[in-house]
């Protein structure tokens, strides 16, 4: 993971995955830190691209990546229903953005999984996404929720993600 004056490419393999089926609405992985997502404490970045390989995913598996400016727990661990997260817990988690990844429209089949691409589309306006770190921080946190389908992860290392950030200040 290298850091460059113009931006950063951060790779993530979430550590709290469970090799089991995830129903629509389940938390796939809880908050994971993206270190140096911004260049300076409290700084801004433009998330220009996201590429995510999910082993075991099918065309009806739609995912949402949620971005946060703090490490406060979401209120539910991986493989638990996102609907169990209370409004107060979600507000405290401080969501600052979201990207929807459609298993049919924004993914292709590779091996026994799918490669999802976070891209700009005129309907959802997914990308690019402006993200601001909290004061004193250079990190952004990300979590994933299954919003459609039944994702059947084959292993505890079934997901790898690359995030392309352009530093703004």
């Amino acid at each position: 993971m290298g850091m460059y004056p113009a931006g950063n490419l951060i790779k993530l393999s979430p550590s709290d995955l469970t090799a089991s089926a995830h129903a629509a609405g389940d938390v796939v992985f809880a908050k994971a830190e993206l270190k140096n997502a911004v260049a300076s404490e409290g700084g801004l970045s433009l998330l220009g691209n996201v590429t995510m390989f999910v082993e075991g995913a099918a065309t009806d598996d739609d995912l949402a990546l949620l971005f946060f400016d703090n490490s406060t727990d979401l209120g539910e661990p991986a493989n638990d229903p996102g609907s169990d997260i209370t409004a107060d817990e979600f507000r405290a988690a401080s969501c600052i953005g979201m990207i929807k990844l459609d298993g049919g429209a924004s993914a292709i089949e590779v091996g026994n999984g799918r490669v999802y691409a976070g891209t700009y589309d005129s309907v959802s306006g997914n990308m690019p996404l402006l993200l601001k770190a909290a004061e004193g921080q250079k990190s952004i946190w990300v979590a994933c929720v299954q919003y459609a389908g039944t994702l059947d992860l084959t292993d505890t290392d079934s997901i790898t993600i690359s995030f392309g950030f352009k530093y703004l200040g």
Side-chain angles (χ1 to χ4, degrees), residues 26-76:
D26 280 357
V27 175
V28 177
F29 64 84
K31 283 185 175 181
E33 185 176 10
L34 301 174
K35 293 180 181 180
N36 296 313
V38 300
S40 59
E41 292 183 356
L44 287 167
S45 281
L46 199 60
L47 180 59
N49 67 318
V50 173
T51 304
M52 180 173 176
F53 176 68
V54 182
E55 191 176 0
T59 56
D60 65 340
D61 291 324
D62 299 334
L63 306 170
L65 293 176
L66 303 171
F67 296 89
F68 304 88
D69 67 3
N70 68 44
S71 62
T72 301
D73 189 50
L74 261 179
E76 287 300 315

Side-chain angles (χ1 to χ4, degrees), residues 77-98:
N79 211 30
D80 276 10
S83 60
D84 287 349
I85 299 169
T86 68
D88 286 342
E89 288 170 332
F90 194 73
R91 276 191 287 276
S94 192
C95 185
I96 57 173
M98 180 185 83

